[in-house]
Amino acid sequence: MQFEEVNDCNDDLCMGSAVERTDEHVREYLIYRGFTGTLKHLDSDMKADKEKGFRVDKIIDQLQLFIQTFDLNGLKDYWGYLDRRLFCRLEDIYRPTVSKLRTSLFRYYVVYTVQLKNIEKTQEFFQRQAQELQGQPEWRDWFILPFMPAPEQNPLFSPYFSRQWSDTFLVSLHNFLSVLFQCIKPPQPVLLSFDSEVQRTTCLQEENDQLRHMLFSLQGEAKLKKQEEMVHHKLPPYVQNMDRLGDTEL
């Protein structure tokens, strides 16, 4: 499964940056007003924010952190949260895509345990997920994985041990979440609209400054050129009459 790469990364970063800046503005205001209790609750909620301020890259980082620390419970719980919070809003025609992404995510986890030679975690995955996965055809052949001496050389599993497969999966997941956030994003609050206006004004100010510097530079060049022309046209009289002088007089 692979999605075409989309161009929403910049939009995601802009949206995420706007949220982060607005969060800081709110914190600054609460400190200014002395609302320390509210500030503590805000910091606690921000720390527990599973949507990461609508930053898809941070969501991917969180999923990878669960995998790298062999935290199967955390990985399942976090995907379950995304399913309840985001994926459930999709039309039924997109459920197979969500299911394929989930399958690829857990295959990514299993392959990682094998690559790190952590056979205990590999076996733990199949033991804990056996009841759920046994009825799924796409997992039928995977139960022999913990017992294979070199699965990365087996034609059935070797593609999943390649860098190309893992990169493709991560890009596909990133693009899917990016499009999802763009489609189901709730109406933007006034605070974020204010941030957008501030950023637009800042960009216009920077553009005006650049144009002003360019204008000053052009004016300086024009003035210098005019001075040079005046020097060339106001030569001393003796230089102008040099053609009348003899060799000795020169």
Side-chain angles (χ1 to χ4, degrees), residues 142-158:
W142 283 72
F143 282 89
I144 64 172
L145 187 67
F147 309 102
M148 299 187 66
E152 67 278 3
Q153 299 177 10
N154 186 288
L156 180 63
F157 299 108
S158 59

Side-chain angles (χ1 to χ4, degrees), residues 186-203:
Q188 183 168 289
V190 176
L191 280 177
L192 283 180
S193 300
F194 173 75
D195 180 87
S196 299
E197 186 64 24
V198 170
Q199 295 302 312
R200 189 179 70 86
T201 303
T202 302
C203 290

Side-chain angles (χ1 to χ4, degrees), residues 1-204:
M1 179 200 61
Q2 182 177 2
F3 291 98
E4 294 295 329
E5 189 167 359
V6 296
N7 295 321
D8 293 321
C9 294
N10 291 335
D11 293 338
D12 294 336
L13 292 174
C14 290
M15 178 63 181
S17 298
V19 171
E20 290 177 353
R21 286 193 300 269
T22 304
D23 289 344
E24 287 304 313
H25 294 331
V26 173
R27 294 187 78 261
E28 183 181 26
Y29 175 77
L30 294 177
I31 293 173
Y32 173 76
R33 292 297 306 275
F35 296 155
T36 55
T38 305
L39 180 62
K40 288 180 180 179
H41 286 294
L42 175 63
D43 288 338
S44 177
D45 288 342
M46 289 173 59
K47 187 176 181 180
D49 177 25
K50 293 185 177 181
E51 294 177 13
K52 306 300 180 183
F54 304 105
R55 288 286 298 271
V56 174
D57 55 336
K58 291 190 175 182
I59 293 177
I60 300 294
D61 288 343
Q62 181 62 70
L63 290 170
Q64 287 189 290
L65 179 61
F66 287 131
I67 292 172
Q68 292 166 1
T69 56
F70 305 107
D71 187 354
L72 182 58
N73 285 335
L75 185 65
K76 292 173 60 178
D77 291 344
Y78 194 62
W79 186 266
Y81 171 83
L82 295 177
D83 197 12
R84 295 188 302 272
R85 183 73 171 85
L86 303 174
F87 305 150
C88 66
R89 303 185 189 182
L90 297 173
E91 299 178 16
D92 291 340
I93 59 174
Y94 298 108
R95 295 306 300 179
T97 299
V98 175
S99 179
K100 288 180 180 179
L101 287 171
R102 184 179 187 274
T103 297
S104 295
L105 177 67
F106 287 111
R107 285 178 174 174
Y108 186 79
Y109 173 84
V110 172
V111 167
Y112 184 78
T113 64
V114 175
Q115 289 176 326
L116 271 290
K117 302 186 184 306
N118 195 332
I119 190 64
E120 180 181 349
K121 291 296 182 180
T122 308
Q123 293 175 344
E124 177 192 52
F125 173 82
F126 288 104
Q127 291 171 356
R128 296 179 57 182
Q129 299 294 107
Q131 186 174 359
E132 176 185 348
L133 302 181
Q134 280 178 347
Q136 300 180 18
E138 59 269 25
W139 284 100
R140 181 180 54 198
D141 298 328
W142 283 72
F143 282 89
I144 64 172
L145 187 67
F147 309 102
M148 299 187 66
E152 67 278 3
Q153 299 177 10
N154 186 288
L156 180 63
F157 299 108
S158 59
Y160 300 98
F161 285 83
S162 68
R163 179 67 179 271
Q164 181 181 359
W165 182 86
S166 59
D167 288 347
T168 299
F169 162 65
L170 292 175
V171 169
S172 298
L173 180 59
H174 187 287
N175 290 343
F176 179 78
L177 292 173
S178 297
V179 174
L180 184 60
F181 274 129
Q182 293 297 321
C183 294
I184 69 174
K185 192 181 300 178
Q188 183 168 289
V190 176
L191 280 177
L192 283 180
S193 300
F194 173 75
D195 180 87
S196 299
E197 186 64 24
V198 170
Q199 295 302 312
R200 189 179 70 86
T201 303
T202 302
C203 290
L204 288 175

Side-chain angles (χ1 to χ4, degrees), residues 223-238:
K223 185 177 180 180
L224 181 62
K225 185 176 181 181
K226 186 176 181 180
Q227 291 175 346
E228 291 176 350
E229 291 176 350
M230 291 176 63
V231 170
H232 290 160
H233 286 82
K234 293 184 178 180
L235 297 176
Y238 72 86

